[in-house]
Amino acid sequence: MSRKRLVVTADDFGAAIAVNEAVERAHVDGILTAASLMVAGEGAADAVERAKRLPNLGVGLHVVLVDGQPILPPEQIPALVGPDGWFQPDMVKTAFAIACNPAARAQMRAEVKAQFAAFAATGLPLDHVNAHKHFHMHPMITSAILDAGRTIGIPAMRVPVEHGAQGFGPAAMRWWAGLLGRRLKTRGIMVNDQVMGLAQTGAFTPEAMAAALETLPDGLTELYTHPATQDVWPGSAPGYRYRDELAALIAPATIAALRDSGAQLGPFARFQDKILPILPSKTFGSLAQDPSLSEGMQIDHRPSQKAAR
């Protein structure tokens, strides 16, 4: 059995209909296996409806504490939001407020708890947890997530580390991510060995994605994407090539590179003892339509690491 395991994720599920449309298409016609839900996003209800039609799509919680909408009323979290009622766009300012201001820290913990409750209310199985702009790297936010997720369990969490980048910044990021990974593993939470796509954020083209899959390493890899059917939508990041990322996820060259890699493919839950239901006639999207793609990409149903309870 291949030692390569791959989870292909899309962030910002629920942020807008354009994102939701892309997630569904990339799952049905391409290689996407998981999506991270913004429970307070403008398109959250639509995202949940789509997810319930896609039983093989692993849906996780995308905790938002910066540059997005909160679940709680703005008057309950004044230290975290601006005059428009949205979270502050300045991540550094919010990080210091959480670290230095007990009121801001308490409000952050209340908001994280509310987002977990909102996800639980969808009735969807929780596949994983991460945070918008990787804000779960903040140790106090990590603690809030671990506490809020205690009742429903956190099966997996992203450790945003990408190997190969040179320089002090990437080296420091890998060191910090290593600390996070060790902390999560002590709680029985599955973490990825590496992420591919961080350096290409917003511009993960078909050529770049095929090249990444051709060099897929052993271990659990998260392929990290931001697809949408439009490049500009309310809340979109300026300059992001969302449509190119969607094209990459459904490109024949991508599917061929994945086949040649021999990787086992699935959401995080496929590599744990908690298995989501799987339809007999389907694996993941268009991959089920081509028998030549099945070899080496069957789901590993054997227990690997238990989810936190």
Side-chain angles (χ1 to χ4, degrees):
M1 182 173 291
S2 174
R3 291 183 294 177
K4 298 177 181 180
R5 297 173 294 160
L6 182 68
V7 180
V8 185
T9 61
D11 276 5
D12 304 341
F13 192 35
I17 299 299
V19 177
N20 299 349
E21 291 173 339
V23 166
E24 182 168 7
R25 185 176 177 195
H27 178 66
V28 172
D29 296 332
I31 68 169
L32 188 74
T33 61
S36 304
L37 176 66
M38 288 179 159
V39 290
E42 295 286 352
D46 175 79
V48 172
E49 182 182 341
R50 291 174 192 265
K52 289 182 177 179
R53 299 199 305 263
L54 303 169
N56 291 317
L57 179 68
V59 181
L61 173 60
H62 197 50
V63 174
V64 179
L65 293 167
V66 63
D67 201 19
Q69 294 173 282
I71 282 286
L72 294 176
E75 58 270 19
Q76 293 186 24
I77 49 172
L80 303 178
V81 299
D84 60 358
W86 282 48
F87 289 120
Q88 300 278 1
D90 189 332
M91 192 170 175
V92 174
K93 180 179 178 180
T94 299
F96 275 103
I98 290 169
C100 303
N101 183 343
R105 190 156 57 250
Q107 291 168 28
M108 176 273 293
R109 293 180 68 87
E111 174 65 24
V112 170
K113 184 176 180 180
Q115 291 187 29
F116 267 90
F119 187 96
T122 69
L124 295 169
L126 181 65
D127 181 69
H128 62 273
V129 177
N130 54 49
H132 192 43
K133 299 188 175 181
H134 312 303
F135 216 179
H136 60 291
M137 294 283 283
H138 191 304
M140 292 179 176
I141 296 175
T142 304
S143 294
I145 289 173
L146 293 175
D147 289 345
R150 192 183 303 274
T151 55
I152 63 174
I154 298 175
M157 192 179 299
R158 173 189 297 152
V159 176
V161 58
E162 190 165 32
H163 300 298
Q166 303 298 314
F168 174 79
M173 184 70 166
R174 286 193 291 270
W175 176 80
W176 192 256
L179 294 178
L180 173 63
R182 288 192 289 274
R183 182 180 181 186
L184 297 176
K185 287 178 181 178
T186 63
R187 301 289 290 265
I189 296 172
M190 173 178 277
V191 300
N192 53 282
D193 294 304
Q194 56 269 321
V195 174
M196 301 184 81
L198 292 176
Q200 296 90 358
T201 298
F204 211 168
T205 63
E207 296 79 12
M209 191 171 293
L213 289 169
E214 288 169 0
T215 60
L216 193 67
D218 288 345
L220 178 61
T221 300
E222 180 179 355
L223 197 71
Y224 161 81
T225 72
H226 292 84
T229 55
Q230 302 174 29
D231 284 336
V232 179
W233 40 271
S236 63
Y240 269 40
R241 297 163 61 180
Y242 294 99
R243 290 182 298 173
D244 281 348
E245 298 216 3
L246 171 58
L249 289 164
I250 61 177
T254 301
I255 295 174
L258 176 58
R259 174 200 61 209
D260 293 342
S261 76
Q264 301 170 66
L265 179 68
F268 285 100
R270 302 299 175 191
F271 305 115
Q272 301 196 43
D273 61 340
K274 181 181 179 182
I275 302 298
L276 297 178
I278 185 166
L279 297 179
S281 62
K282 180 175 176 176
T283 53
F284 295 98
S286 63
L287 301 181
Q289 308 305 316
D290 186 348
S292 69
L293 297 181
S294 62
E295 184 177 357
M297 291 196 298
Q298 296 305 303
I299 304 307
D300 183 5
H301 291 277
R302 297 181 303 172
S304 58
Q305 183 175 353
K306 292 186 177 180
R309 294 289 185 261

